[in-house]
Structure formats: C-alpha cells, structure tokens
Amino acid sequence: MSIGLAQNFAALKALVSTGIQQGHMKLQAKSLALLAGASESEVAPLVERLIADKTFNLETAQRYLENLRS
C-alpha cells in the first residue's frame, strides 16, 4: 500500500513539475533503469541517457547500464 502511495506522489510531482508527457517518460525511464538492475547512483545517468536517446525498452536499458559500468 505504501508503494502505491509513493508512486502516486511521484506521478503527481511529475505532472506538476515537468508536464504530463515529459514526466511520464521520466517515470518510464526510471522504472526501466530499476528493472535493468541499476543501483541508486546509476539510476540518474541511465535515465538521462534513455531520455536523450528516446529509447524506452529493457534491452536498451541493460546495454546502457553495462556501458555505464565499464
């Protein structure tokens, strides 16, 4: 229940601060980064890369994460 509440607050923050589409894409990229196995310190640079390349899939996130780690 608390996870759902946290996600709702994150969605509200995204809507208010960056707009609906940009906020949604950032949340999507963050979810992919976490699914790919990114650590807390790796999430932000991975999200930036996914958004910059406009590529939102798990395979790409995993490949970018490997490159980030090497």
Side-chain angles (χ1 to χ4, degrees):
M1 184 164 149
S2 62
I3 291 174
L5 185 59
Q7 289 174 332
N8 286 341
F9 283 132
L12 282 173
K13 180 183 175 198
L15 289 173
V16 172
S17 62
T18 59
I20 293 171
Q21 185 175 9
Q22 188 177 9
H24 174 74
M25 298 313 286
K26 188 171 183 177
L27 286 173
Q28 178 71 17
K30 185 174 182 180
S31 291
L32 283 171
L34 293 171
L35 281 172
S39 68
E40 188 176 326
S41 63
E42 295 169 326
V43 169
L46 185 53
V47 165
E48 287 178 26
R49 177 77 188 269
L50 290 168
I51 291 172
D53 290 351
K54 297 179 181 164
T55 308
F56 295 91
N57 63 60
L58 184 56
E59 182 181 341
T60 303
Q62 290 170 330
R63 189 174 66 246
Y64 289 165
L65 182 58
E66 279 183 32
N67 291 338
L68 184 64
R69 288 178 174 169
S70 58

Short mmCIF file of all heavy atoms in Angstrom, two decimals:
data_model
loop_
_atom_site.label_atom_id
_atom_site.label_comp_id
_atom_site.label_asym_id
_atom_site.label_seq_id
_atom_site.Cartn_x
_atom_site.Cartn_y
_atom_site.Cartn_z
N MET A 1 0.82 -1.19 0.00
CA MET A 1 0.00 0.00 0.00
C MET A 1 0.87 1.26 0.00
O MET A 1 0.58 2.19 -0.72
CB MET A 1 -0.92 -0.01 1.21
CG MET A 1 -1.86 1.14 1.21
SD MET A 1 -3.18 0.83 2.36
CE MET A 1 -3.52 2.47 2.86
N SER A 2 1.92 1.26 0.78
CA SER A 2 2.78 2.45 0.83
C SER A 2 3.52 2.65 -0.49
O SER A 2 3.80 3.78 -0.87
CB SER A 2 3.76 2.37 2.00
OG SER A 2 4.61 1.26 1.84
N ILE A 3 3.82 1.55 -1.20
CA ILE A 3 4.48 1.68 -2.50
C ILE A 3 3.55 2.37 -3.49
O ILE A 3 3.97 3.26 -4.22
CB ILE A 3 4.93 0.30 -3.03
CG1 ILE A 3 6.05 -0.23 -2.16
CG2 ILE A 3 5.36 0.38 -4.49
CD1 ILE A 3 6.47 -1.64 -2.49
N GLY A 4 2.30 1.98 -3.49
CA GLY A 4 1.32 2.61 -4.37
C GLY A 4 1.17 4.09 -4.08
O GLY A 4 1.06 4.92 -4.98
N LEU A 5 1.15 4.43 -2.81
CA LEU A 5 1.04 5.83 -2.40
C LEU A 5 2.26 6.62 -2.86
O LEU A 5 2.15 7.73 -3.38
CB LEU A 5 0.87 5.93 -0.89
CG LEU A 5 0.64 7.33 -0.32
CD1 LEU A 5 -0.61 7.96 -0.92
CD2 LEU A 5 0.52 7.25 1.19
N ALA A 6 3.44 6.02 -2.70
CA ALA A 6 4.68 6.68 -3.14
C ALA A 6 4.66 6.89 -4.65
O ALA A 6 5.08 7.94 -5.14
CB ALA A 6 5.89 5.86 -2.72
N GLN A 7 4.17 5.90 -5.40
CA GLN A 7 4.09 6.04 -6.85
C GLN A 7 3.11 7.14 -7.24
O GLN A 7 3.35 7.90 -8.18
CB GLN A 7 3.68 4.72 -7.50
CG GLN A 7 4.77 3.67 -7.43
CD GLN A 7 4.31 2.32 -7.95
OE1 GLN A 7 3.13 1.99 -7.88
NE2 GLN A 7 5.25 1.54 -8.44
N ASN A 8 2.01 7.24 -6.50
CA ASN A 8 1.04 8.30 -6.79
C ASN A 8 1.65 9.68 -6.54
O ASN A 8 1.44 10.60 -7.31
CB ASN A 8 -0.22 8.12 -5.95
CG ASN A 8 -1.08 6.97 -6.44
OD1 ASN A 8 -0.95 6.53 -7.57
ND2 ASN A 8 -1.95 6.48 -5.57
N PHE A 9 2.40 9.81 -5.45
CA PHE A 9 3.06 11.08 -5.17
C PHE A 9 4.10 11.41 -6.24
O PHE A 9 4.24 12.55 -6.67
CB PHE A 9 3.71 11.09 -3.78
CG PHE A 9 2.73 11.29 -2.66
CD1 PHE A 9 2.75 10.47 -1.56
CD2 PHE A 9 1.79 12.32 -2.70
CE1 PHE A 9 1.85 10.64 -0.52
CE2 PHE A 9 0.89 12.51 -1.67
CZ PHE A 9 0.92 11.67 -0.57
N ALA A 10 4.83 10.39 -6.69
CA ALA A 10 5.82 10.61 -7.75
C ALA A 10 5.13 11.05 -9.04
O ALA A 10 5.62 11.93 -9.75
CB ALA A 10 6.63 9.33 -7.98
N ALA A 11 4.00 10.44 -9.35
CA ALA A 11 3.25 10.83 -10.55
C ALA A 11 2.74 12.26 -10.43
O ALA A 11 2.82 13.03 -11.39
CB ALA A 11 2.09 9.86 -10.77
N LEU A 12 2.23 12.62 -9.26
CA LEU A 12 1.77 14.00 -9.05
C LEU A 12 2.91 14.99 -9.20
O LEU A 12 2.75 16.05 -9.81
CB LEU A 12 1.13 14.14 -7.67
CG LEU A 12 -0.29 13.62 -7.54
CD1 LEU A 12 -0.75 13.67 -6.08
CD2 LEU A 12 -1.24 14.41 -8.41
N LYS A 13 4.06 14.66 -8.64
CA LYS A 13 5.22 15.54 -8.75
C LYS A 13 5.59 15.73 -10.22
O LYS A 13 5.88 16.84 -10.67
CB LYS A 13 6.40 14.98 -7.97
CG LYS A 13 7.63 15.86 -8.06
CD LYS A 13 8.80 15.25 -7.35
CE LYS A 13 10.03 16.12 -7.57
NZ LYS A 13 11.25 15.46 -7.29
N ALA A 14 5.59 14.64 -10.98
CA ALA A 14 5.93 14.71 -12.39
C ALA A 14 4.94 15.57 -13.15
O ALA A 14 5.33 16.37 -14.02
CB ALA A 14 5.99 13.31 -12.99
N LEU A 15 3.67 15.44 -12.83
CA LEU A 15 2.66 16.23 -13.52
C LEU A 15 2.81 17.71 -13.23
O LEU A 15 2.66 18.54 -14.11
CB LEU A 15 1.26 15.77 -13.08
CG LEU A 15 0.82 14.41 -13.59
CD1 LEU A 15 -0.49 14.01 -12.95
CD2 LEU A 15 0.68 14.41 -15.09
N VAL A 16 3.12 18.03 -12.00
CA VAL A 16 3.21 19.43 -11.60
C VAL A 16 4.52 20.07 -12.05
O VAL A 16 4.54 21.21 -12.49
CB VAL A 16 3.06 19.55 -10.06
CG1 VAL A 16 3.35 20.96 -9.59
CG2 VAL A 16 1.67 19.13 -9.63
N SER A 17 5.61 19.33 -11.98
CA SER A 17 6.91 19.94 -12.23
C SER A 17 7.34 19.93 -13.70
O SER A 17 7.99 20.87 -14.15
CB SER A 17 7.99 19.28 -11.37
OG SER A 17 8.10 17.92 -11.70
N THR A 18 7.04 18.90 -14.45
CA THR A 18 7.58 18.81 -15.80
C THR A 18 6.53 18.62 -16.89
O THR A 18 6.89 18.53 -18.05
CB THR A 18 8.59 17.66 -15.90
OG1 THR A 18 7.93 16.45 -15.54
CG2 THR A 18 9.79 17.88 -15.01
N GLY A 19 5.30 18.52 -16.54
CA GLY A 19 4.27 18.28 -17.54
C GLY A 19 3.97 16.80 -17.68
O GLY A 19 4.77 15.94 -17.28
N ILE A 20 2.84 16.51 -18.24
CA ILE A 20 2.36 15.13 -18.28
C ILE A 20 3.28 14.22 -19.10
O ILE A 20 3.76 13.21 -18.61
CB ILE A 20 0.93 15.08 -18.84
CG1 ILE A 20 -0.02 15.76 -17.86
CG2 ILE A 20 0.49 13.65 -19.09
CD1 ILE A 20 -1.41 15.95 -18.39
N GLN A 21 3.53 14.56 -20.34
CA GLN A 21 4.30 13.66 -21.20
C GLN A 21 5.74 13.51 -20.73
O GLN A 21 6.24 12.40 -20.61
CB GLN A 21 4.27 14.12 -22.65
CG GLN A 21 4.96 13.13 -23.57
CD GLN A 21 4.83 13.52 -25.03
OE1 GLN A 21 4.38 14.60 -25.35
NE2 GLN A 21 5.25 12.62 -25.90
N GLN A 22 6.40 14.63 -20.48
CA GLN A 22 7.80 14.56 -20.05
C GLN A 22 7.92 13.84 -18.71
O GLN A 22 8.82 13.04 -18.50
CB GLN A 22 8.40 15.95 -19.97
CG GLN A 22 9.88 15.94 -19.72
CD GLN A 22 10.47 17.35 -19.72
OE1 GLN A 22 9.76 18.33 -19.73
NE2 GLN A 22 11.77 17.42 -19.69
N GLY A 23 7.00 14.12 -17.81
CA GLY A 23 7.01 13.46 -16.51
C GLY A 23 6.78 11.97 -16.64
O GLY A 23 7.43 11.16 -15.98
N HIS A 24 5.86 11.59 -17.53
CA HIS A 24 5.59 10.17 -17.74
C HIS A 24 6.81 9.46 -18.32
O HIS A 24 7.15 8.35 -17.89
CB HIS A 24 4.39 9.99 -18.67
CG HIS A 24 4.14 8.57 -19.03
ND1 HIS A 24 3.59 7.66 -18.16
CD2 HIS A 24 4.40 7.88 -20.16
CE1 HIS A 24 3.51 6.48 -18.75
NE2 HIS A 24 3.99 6.59 -19.96
N MET A 25 7.47 10.10 -19.27
CA MET A 25 8.63 9.47 -19.89
C MET A 25 9.76 9.31 -18.87
O MET A 25 10.48 8.31 -18.88
CB MET A 25 9.11 10.28 -21.09
CG MET A 25 8.08 10.36 -22.21
SD MET A 25 7.29 8.79 -22.66
CE MET A 25 8.61 8.01 -23.53
N LYS A 26 9.91 10.28 -17.98
CA LYS A 26 10.95 10.17 -16.96
C LYS A 26 10.64 9.03 -16.00
O LYS A 26 11.52 8.26 -15.63
CB LYS A 26 11.09 11.49 -16.20
CG LYS A 26 12.26 11.51 -15.26
CD LYS A 26 12.50 12.89 -14.69
CE LYS A 26 13.74 12.87 -13.82
NZ LYS A 26 14.05 14.20 -13.30
N LEU A 27 9.37 8.89 -15.61
CA LEU A 27 8.98 7.78 -14.73
C LEU A 27 9.20 6.44 -15.44
O LEU A 27 9.65 5.47 -14.82
CB LEU A 27 7.52 7.92 -14.31
CG LEU A 27 7.23 9.00 -13.28
CD1 LEU A 27 5.71 9.14 -13.07
CD2 LEU A 27 7.90 8.69 -11.96
N GLN A 28 8.87 6.38 -16.73
CA GLN A 28 9.07 5.16 -17.50
C GLN A 28 10.56 4.80 -17.55
O GLN A 28 10.94 3.65 -17.36
CB GLN A 28 8.52 5.34 -18.92
CG GLN A 28 8.71 4.17 -19.84
CD GLN A 28 7.83 2.99 -19.48
OE1 GLN A 28 6.86 3.11 -18.76
NE2 GLN A 28 8.19 1.84 -19.99
N ALA A 29 11.40 5.79 -17.81
CA ALA A 29 12.85 5.56 -17.88
C ALA A 29 13.39 5.11 -16.53
O ALA A 29 14.24 4.21 -16.46
CB ALA A 29 13.57 6.81 -18.35
N LYS A 30 12.89 5.69 -15.46
CA LYS A 30 13.35 5.30 -14.12
C LYS A 30 12.93 3.87 -13.82
O LYS A 30 13.72 3.09 -13.27
CB LYS A 30 12.79 6.25 -13.07
CG LYS A 30 13.33 5.97 -11.69
CD LYS A 30 12.91 7.01 -10.68
CE LYS A 30 13.52 6.69 -9.33
NZ LYS A 30 13.13 7.66 -8.31
N SER A 31 11.72 3.49 -14.19
CA SER A 31 11.27 2.11 -13.99
C SER A 31 12.16 1.14 -14.76
O SER A 31 12.53 0.08 -14.24
CB SER A 31 9.82 1.95 -14.44
OG SER A 31 8.96 2.64 -13.59
N LEU A 32 12.49 1.48 -15.99
CA LEU A 32 13.37 0.63 -16.80
C LEU A 32 14.76 0.52 -16.19
O LEU A 32 15.35 -0.56 -16.18
CB LEU A 32 13.48 1.16 -18.23
CG LEU A 32 12.29 0.89 -19.13
CD1 LEU A 32 12.42 1.66 -20.43
CD2 LEU A 32 12.16 -0.60 -19.40
N ALA A 33 15.27 1.63 -15.68
CA ALA A 33 16.59 1.62 -15.05
C ALA A 33 16.60 0.67 -13.86
O ALA A 33 17.53 -0.13 -13.68
CB ALA A 33 16.99 3.02 -14.62
N LEU A 34 15.57 0.73 -13.05
CA LEU A 34 15.49 -0.14 -11.88
C LEU A 34 15.31 -1.60 -12.29
O LEU A 34 15.92 -2.50 -11.70
CB LEU A 34 14.35 0.31 -10.95
CG LEU A 34 14.58 1.67 -10.29
CD1 LEU A 34 13.31 2.15 -9.58
CD2 LEU A 34 15.75 1.63 -9.33
N LEU A 35 14.48 -1.85 -13.30
CA LEU A 35 14.30 -3.22 -13.80
C LEU A 35 15.59 -3.78 -14.37
O LEU A 35 15.85 -4.98 -14.28
CB LEU A 35 13.21 -3.26 -14.87
CG LEU A 35 11.77 -3.23 -14.39
CD1 LEU A 35 10.83 -3.07 -15.57
CD2 LEU A 35 11.45 -4.50 -13.62
N ALA A 36 16.40 -2.92 -14.97
CA ALA A 36 17.67 -3.35 -15.55
C ALA A 36 18.70 -3.68 -14.47
O ALA A 36 19.73 -4.28 -14.75
CB ALA A 36 18.22 -2.28 -16.48
N GLY A 37 18.42 -3.27 -13.22
CA GLY A 37 19.32 -3.59 -12.13
C GLY A 37 20.23 -2.44 -11.71
O GLY A 37 21.24 -2.67 -11.03
N ALA A 38 19.90 -1.23 -12.11
CA ALA A 38 20.73 -0.08 -11.77
C ALA A 38 20.70 0.19 -10.27
O ALA A 38 19.67 0.06 -9.62
CB ALA A 38 20.24 1.17 -12.51
N SER A 39 21.85 0.55 -9.73
CA SER A 39 21.94 0.94 -8.32
C SER A 39 21.44 2.37 -8.20
O SER A 39 21.21 3.06 -9.20
CB SER A 39 23.38 0.85 -7.83
OG SER A 39 24.17 1.84 -8.47
N GLU A 40 21.30 2.82 -6.97
CA GLU A 40 20.80 4.18 -6.74
C GLU A 40 21.65 5.23 -7.45
O GLU A 40 21.12 6.17 -8.03
CB GLU A 40 20.77 4.45 -5.23
CG GLU A 40 20.11 5.75 -4.86
CD GLU A 40 20.00 5.94 -3.36
OE1 GLU A 40 19.81 4.94 -2.64
OE2 GLU A 40 20.11 7.09 -2.92
N SER A 41 22.96 5.06 -7.43
CA SER A 41 23.84 6.04 -8.07
C SER A 41 23.85 5.93 -9.60
O SER A 41 24.27 6.85 -10.28
CB SER A 41 25.26 5.91 -7.53
OG SER A 41 25.80 4.64 -7.86
N GLU A 42 23.39 4.81 -10.12
CA GLU A 42 23.38 4.60 -11.57
C GLU A 42 22.07 5.04 -12.23
O GLU A 42 22.02 5.23 -13.45
CB GLU A 42 23.62 3.12 -11.90
CG GLU A 42 24.98 2.63 -11.50
CD GLU A 42 25.11 1.12 -11.57
OE1 GLU A 42 24.12 0.39 -11.30
OE2 GLU A 42 26.22 0.66 -11.88
N VAL A 43 21.02 5.19 -11.43
CA VAL A 43 19.70 5.48 -11.99
C VAL A 43 19.68 6.79 -12.76
O VAL A 43 19.25 6.84 -13.92
CB VAL A 43 18.61 5.47 -10.89
CG1 VAL A 43 17.30 6.03 -11.43
CG2 VAL A 43 18.40 4.07 -10.35
N ALA A 44 20.14 7.88 -12.16
CA ALA A 44 20.06 9.19 -12.80
C ALA A 44 20.78 9.25 -14.15
O ALA A 44 20.19 9.69 -15.15
CB ALA A 44 20.57 10.28 -11.87
N PRO A 45 22.06 8.80 -14.23
CA PRO A 45 22.71 8.86 -15.55
C PRO A 45 22.05 7.94 -16.58
O PRO A 45 21.99 8.27 -17.77
CB PRO A 45 24.15 8.44 -15.28
CG PRO A 45 24.22 7.95 -13.90
CD PRO A 45 22.98 8.37 -13.19
N LEU A 46 21.53 6.81 -16.12
CA LEU A 46 20.86 5.90 -17.05
C LEU A 46 19.55 6.50 -17.55
O LEU A 46 19.24 6.43 -18.74
CB LEU A 46 20.62 4.55 -16.37
CG LEU A 46 20.04 3.43 -17.22
CD1 LEU A 46 20.84 3.22 -18.49
CD2 LEU A 46 19.97 2.14 -16.41
N VAL A 47 18.81 7.13 -16.67
CA VAL A 47 17.56 7.80 -17.06
C VAL A 47 17.85 8.90 -18.07
O VAL A 47 17.17 9.02 -19.10
CB VAL A 47 16.82 8.36 -15.82
CG1 VAL A 47 15.74 9.35 -16.21
CG2 VAL A 47 16.23 7.23 -14.99
N GLU A 48 18.87 9.70 -17.82
CA GLU A 48 19.24 10.77 -18.75
C GLU A 48 19.55 10.21 -20.13
O GLU A 48 19.15 10.77 -21.15
CB GLU A 48 20.43 11.55 -18.22
CG GLU A 48 20.11 12.44 -17.05
CD GLU A 48 21.34 13.17 -16.51
OE1 GLU A 48 22.29 13.38 -17.28
OE2 GLU A 48 21.32 13.52 -15.33
N ARG A 49 20.29 9.12 -20.16
CA ARG A 49 20.67 8.51 -21.45
C ARG A 49 19.45 7.97 -22.19
O ARG A 49 19.31 8.18 -23.40
CB ARG A 49 21.68 7.38 -21.19
CG ARG A 49 22.10 6.62 -22.41
CD ARG A 49 23.12 7.42 -23.22
NE ARG A 49 23.41 6.79 -24.48
CZ ARG A 49 24.38 5.90 -24.68
NH1 ARG A 49 25.18 5.57 -23.69
NH2 ARG A 49 24.57 5.37 -25.87
N LEU A 50 18.56 7.30 -21.47
CA LEU A 50 17.35 6.77 -22.10
C LEU A 50 16.48 7.89 -22.67
O LEU A 50 15.97 7.79 -23.78
CB LEU A 50 16.55 5.93 -21.10
CG LEU A 50 17.17 4.60 -20.68
CD1 LEU A 50 16.44 4.03 -19.48
CD2 LEU A 50 17.17 3.61 -21.83
N ILE A 51 16.34 8.97 -21.90
CA ILE A 51 15.53 10.09 -22.35
C ILE A 51 16.18 10.79 -23.54
O ILE A 51 15.51 11.13 -24.52
CB ILE A 51 15.27 11.07 -21.19
CG1 ILE A 51 14.33 10.42 -20.17
CG2 ILE A 51 14.69 12.39 -21.70
CD1 ILE A 51 14.15 11.21 -18.90
N ALA A 52 17.48 10.98 -23.48
CA ALA A 52 18.20 11.65 -24.57
C ALA A 52 18.06 10.88 -25.88
O ALA A 52 17.90 11.46 -26.96
CB ALA A 52 19.66 11.84 -24.21
N ASP A 53 18.14 9.56 -25.78
CA ASP A 53 18.06 8.72 -26.98
C ASP A 53 16.63 8.37 -27.36
O ASP A 53 16.40 7.75 -28.39
CB ASP A 53 18.87 7.44 -26.79
CG ASP A 53 20.36 7.70 -26.76
OD1 ASP A 53 20.78 8.83 -27.06
OD2 ASP A 53 21.11 6.77 -26.42
N LYS A 54 15.68 8.72 -26.48
CA LYS A 54 14.26 8.42 -26.71
C LYS A 54 14.04 6.94 -26.98
O LYS A 54 13.26 6.54 -27.84
CB LYS A 54 13.70 9.28 -27.84
CG LYS A 54 13.75 10.74 -27.53
CD LYS A 54 13.23 11.58 -28.66
CE LYS A 54 13.35 13.04 -28.27
NZ LYS A 54 13.22 13.93 -29.37
N THR A 55 14.78 6.12 -26.23
CA THR A 55 14.69 4.68 -26.35
C THR A 55 14.20 4.12 -25.03
O THR A 55 14.88 4.27 -24.02
CB THR A 55 16.06 4.07 -26.70
OG1 THR A 55 16.58 4.74 -27.83
CG2 THR A 55 15.95 2.60 -26.98
N PHE A 56 13.05 3.48 -25.04
CA PHE A 56 12.46 3.01 -23.80
C PHE A 56 12.12 1.53 -23.87
O PHE A 56 10.98 1.14 -24.12
CB PHE A 56 11.19 3.82 -23.47
CG PHE A 56 11.47 5.26 -23.19
CD1 PHE A 56 11.44 6.19 -24.20
CD2 PHE A 56 11.78 5.67 -21.92
CE1 PHE A 56 11.71 7.52 -23.94
CE2 PHE A 56 12.05 7.00 -21.64
CZ PHE A 56 12.02 7.91 -22.66
N ASN A 57 13.16 0.71 -23.71
CA ASN A 57 12.93 -0.72 -23.59
C ASN A 57 14.00 -1.31 -22.68
O ASN A 57 15.07 -0.73 -22.49
CB ASN A 57 12.87 -1.42 -24.95
CG ASN A 57 14.15 -1.33 -25.73
OD1 ASN A 57 15.19 -1.80 -25.27
ND2 ASN A 57 14.09 -0.71 -26.91
N LEU A 58 13.70 -2.46 -22.12
CA LEU A 58 14.57 -3.07 -21.12
C LEU A 58 15.91 -3.49 -21.71
O LEU A 58 16.95 -3.29 -21.07
CB LEU A 58 13.87 -4.27 -20.47
CG LEU A 58 14.61 -4.96 -19.34
CD1 LEU A 58 14.96 -3.99 -18.22
CD2 LEU A 58 13.78 -6.12 -18.80
N GLU A 59 15.90 -4.01 -22.90
CA GLU A 59 17.16 -4.44 -23.54
C GLU A 59 18.14 -3.28 -23.68
O GLU A 59 19.32 -3.40 -23.37
CB GLU A 59 16.87 -5.06 -24.90
CG GLU A 59 18.10 -5.58 -25.61
CD GLU A 59 17.77 -6.16 -26.97
OE1 GLU A 59 16.61 -6.49 -27.24
OE2 GLU A 59 18.71 -6.27 -27.78
N THR A 60 17.64 -2.15 -24.14
CA THR A 60 18.49 -0.97 -24.28
C THR A 60 18.98 -0.47 -22.94
O THR A 60 20.14 -0.11 -22.79
CB THR A 60 17.73 0.13 -25.03
OG1 THR A 60 17.31 -0.38 -26.29
CG2 THR A 60 18.59 1.36 -25.25
N ALA A 61 18.09 -0.46 -21.95
CA ALA A 61 18.48 -0.02 -20.61
C ALA A 61 19.59 -0.91 -20.05
O ALA A 61 20.55 -0.42 -19.46
CB ALA A 61 17.27 -0.03 -19.68
N GLN A 62 19.49 -2.20 -20.26
CA GLN A 62 20.52 -3.13 -19.79
C GLN A 62 21.84 -2.89 -20.51
O GLN A 62 22.91 -2.91 -19.90
CB GLN A 62 20.06 -4.57 -19.97
CG GLN A 62 18.95 -4.95 -19.03
CD GLN A 62 18.32 -6.29 -19.37
OE1 GLN A 62 18.27 -6.71 -20.54
NE2 GLN A 62 17.79 -6.95 -18.35
N ARG A 63 21.78 -2.63 -21.81
CA ARG A 63 23.00 -2.37 -22.57
C ARG A 63 23.66 -1.07 -22.12
O ARG A 63 24.88 -1.02 -21.91
CB ARG A 63 22.68 -2.32 -24.07
CG ARG A 63 23.91 -2.26 -24.95
CD ARG A 63 23.61 -2.36 -26.42
NE ARG A 63 22.86 -1.22 -26.91
CZ ARG A 63 21.60 -1.27 -27.36
NH1 ARG A 63 20.95 -2.42 -27.40
NH2 ARG A 63 20.99 -0.18 -27.79
N TYR A 64 22.89 -0.02 -21.93
CA TYR A 64 23.43 1.25 -21.44
C TYR A 64 24.02 1.08 -20.05
O TYR A 64 25.04 1.70 -19.74
CB TYR A 64 22.36 2.33 -21.41
CG TYR A 64 21.91 2.84 -22.76
CD1 TYR A 64 20.75 3.59 -22.89
CD2 TYR A 64 22.64 2.59 -23.93
CE1 TYR A 64 20.33 4.07 -24.10
CE2 TYR A 64 22.22 3.06 -25.14
CZ TYR A 64 21.05 3.81 -25.23
OH TYR A 64 20.64 4.27 -26.45
N LEU A 65 23.37 0.27 -19.22
CA LEU A 65 23.87 0.05 -17.87
C LEU A 65 25.24 -0.67 -17.91
O LEU A 65 26.15 -0.31 -17.18
CB LEU A 65 22.87 -0.75 -17.05
CG LEU A 65 23.24 -1.03 -15.59
CD1 LEU A 65 23.47 0.28 -14.82
CD2 LEU A 65 22.15 -1.85 -14.93
N GLU A 66 25.36 -1.64 -18.79
CA GLU A 66 26.66 -2.33 -18.96
C GLU A 66 27.74 -1.33 -19.37
O GLU A 66 28.85 -1.36 -18.84
CB GLU A 66 26.55 -3.42 -20.02
CG GLU A 66 25.95 -4.70 -19.54
CD GLU A 66 25.94 -5.76 -20.62
OE1 GLU A 66 26.86 -5.78 -21.47
OE2 GLU A 66 25.02 -6.58 -20.62
N ASN A 67 27.41 -0.45 -20.32
CA ASN A 67 28.37 0.56 -20.77
C ASN A 67 28.72 1.52 -19.65
O ASN A 67 29.88 1.93 -19.53
CB ASN A 67 27.82 1.33 -21.96
CG ASN A 67 27.73 0.49 -23.21
OD1 ASN A 67 28.41 -0.52 -23.34
ND2 ASN A 67 26.87 0.87 -24.12
N LEU A 68 27.74 1.89 -18.86
CA LEU A 68 27.97 2.79 -17.74
C LEU A 68 28.91 2.18 -16.71
O LEU A 68 29.76 2.87 -16.14
CB LEU A 68 26.63 3.14 -17.08
CG LEU A 68 26.61 4.14 -15.94
CD1 LEU A 68 27.05 5.51 -16.42
CD2 LEU A 68 25.21 4.22 -15.35
N ARG A 69 28.80 0.89 -16.51
CA ARG A 69 29.61 0.19 -15.52
C ARG A 69 31.03 -0.08 -16.00
O ARG A 69 31.92 -0.31 -15.19
CB ARG A 69 28.94 -1.12 -15.13
CG ARG A 69 27.70 -0.89 -14.28
CD ARG A 69 27.01 -2.18 -13.94
NE ARG A 69 25.91 -1.93 -13.01
CZ ARG A 69 25.01 -2.84 -12.70
NH1 ARG A 69 25.06 -4.05 -13.23
NH2 ARG A 69 24.05 -2.53 -11.83
N SER A 70 31.25 -0.08 -17.30
CA SER A 70 32.61 -0.39 -17.79
C SER A 70 33.43 0.84 -18.09
O SER A 70 33.08 1.94 -17.89
CB SER A 70 32.53 -1.25 -19.04
OG SER A 70 31.79 -0.63 -20.05
#
